[in-house]
Amino acid sequence: MPDDAPGRPPADREEPVGQPVVRADPAVTGERAEEAVGFDPDDPESVAEAAETVRAFSENTVGAADNVYMLRGAAACAALVRGVGSYKEAVERAGGDVSVSFVRKWARVHDLPQAIRRHVARGDIAPTAAKHIARVSGVDRFDLAWAVVDADLTVREVRRMASEVDGTTSAAEALAERGIELGRVELSLPLEIYRELRRRAAIENREPGELVGEALEAYFAEESVTPE
């Protein structure tokens, strides 16, 4: 099944690599959205700017706590690689102490799905944790990301679990081994909806979560249908 098939979240970003979709959204970054800089891998001047940004990003550890700053550096890494065609050439263009490992790690962060990058920009997921989430692929990326958001995983825990995920062990299994259960979300509902949910669940002898799950499954299925 392809990653963008109905019912399955895409494993990678769908927007052009240089487009600051998340960083330019005021709902996510507030007034700093005006500072968002895009990098065009097809524009030589923009690629040159990306190279300068990558070098400055690698040398500036002061911004480590600034998630938006880190995402900008990741965007520059991704655009530079695409602009010059290889990690080796990207490192040469950036200069300084920039390494292939550095560029590769942050370029992969920029290639994370938008839903995950939005949580990084909001501060729900540390950029250093995002680097490890980006090491895995497919739905494992989402499972690790949502575990960070819901279970407050540390960067060290994410790193360890990302190392365990392979062809035989999934992120969900790695999480379960540590007693972390995916699928539990605390919701706040309008009082009228809450009353009706409780009433119907009691009448049908079912858990409220079952009814909510069915309703959301039907809603998402309807949303995935493209009108002709």
Side-chain angles (χ1 to χ4, degrees):
M1 174 184 283
D3 287 331
D4 58 354
R8 181 170 181 175
D12 297 291
R13 62 179 293 148
E14 298 177 334
E15 305 85 11
V17 67
Q19 186 175 347
V21 176
V22 173
R23 289 176 291 123
D25 186 350
V28 179
T29 58
E31 295 180 358
R32 296 190 60 186
E34 299 178 358
E35 304 172 8
V37 176
F39 301 99
D40 184 355
D42 297 320
D43 180 355
E45 291 186 4
S46 185
V47 171
E49 182 181 2
E52 294 177 0
T53 301
V54 169
R55 179 168 178 170
F57 178 45
S58 71
E59 296 173 347
N60 184 9
T61 57
V62 177
D66 187 333
N67 290 11
V68 177
Y69 169 83
M70 302 293 267
L71 285 177
R72 182 173 184 265
C77 287
L80 181 58
V81 172
R82 284 162 176 76
V84 300
S86 72
Y87 289 111
K88 181 179 179 180
E89 181 64 23
V91 168
E92 292 177 356
R93 286 288 299 273
D97 295 328
V98 178
S99 67
V100 169
S101 175
F102 178 87
V103 174
R104 180 186 293 114
K105 287 178 181 178
W106 287 107
R108 287 190 305 200
V109 169
H110 188 63
D111 285 339
L112 284 171
Q114 182 186 147
I116 296 177
R117 287 182 288 119
R118 282 178 175 269
H119 279 286
V120 175
R122 293 186 182 112
D124 301 327
I125 299 175
T128 46
K131 285 196 299 183
H132 299 298
I133 293 171
R135 290 164 50 196
V136 302
S137 60
V139 295
D140 288 324
R141 287 180 162 184
F142 288 96
D143 289 346
L144 274 181
W146 304 156
V148 172
V149 174
D150 295 332
D152 197 26
L153 297 183
T154 65
V155 174
R156 180 175 297 180
E157 289 173 323
V158 176
R159 181 185 65 197
R160 289 177 178 173
M161 280 184 275
S163 298
E164 295 173 9
V165 174
D166 53 29
T168 57
T169 301
S170 67
E173 291 169 336
L175 288 162
E177 288 181 1
R178 291 166 172 78
I180 300 171
E181 180 184 357
L182 292 175
R184 297 184 64 85
V185 179
E186 182 177 335
L187 299 175
S188 295
L189 302 173
L191 184 55
E192 294 78 6
I193 299 298
Y194 171 77
R195 289 196 191 105
E196 183 62 14
L197 173 63
R198 280 295 187 185
R199 186 187 72 80
R200 294 197 185 193
I203 289 176
E204 299 179 19
N205 294 316
R206 301 170 67 190
E207 291 297 322
E210 291 183 57
L211 299 185
V212 172
E214 289 181 0
L216 288 175
E217 183 178 12
Y219 173 78
F220 292 145
E222 181 178 349
E223 287 288 299
S224 67
V225 176
T226 302
E228 297 184 4

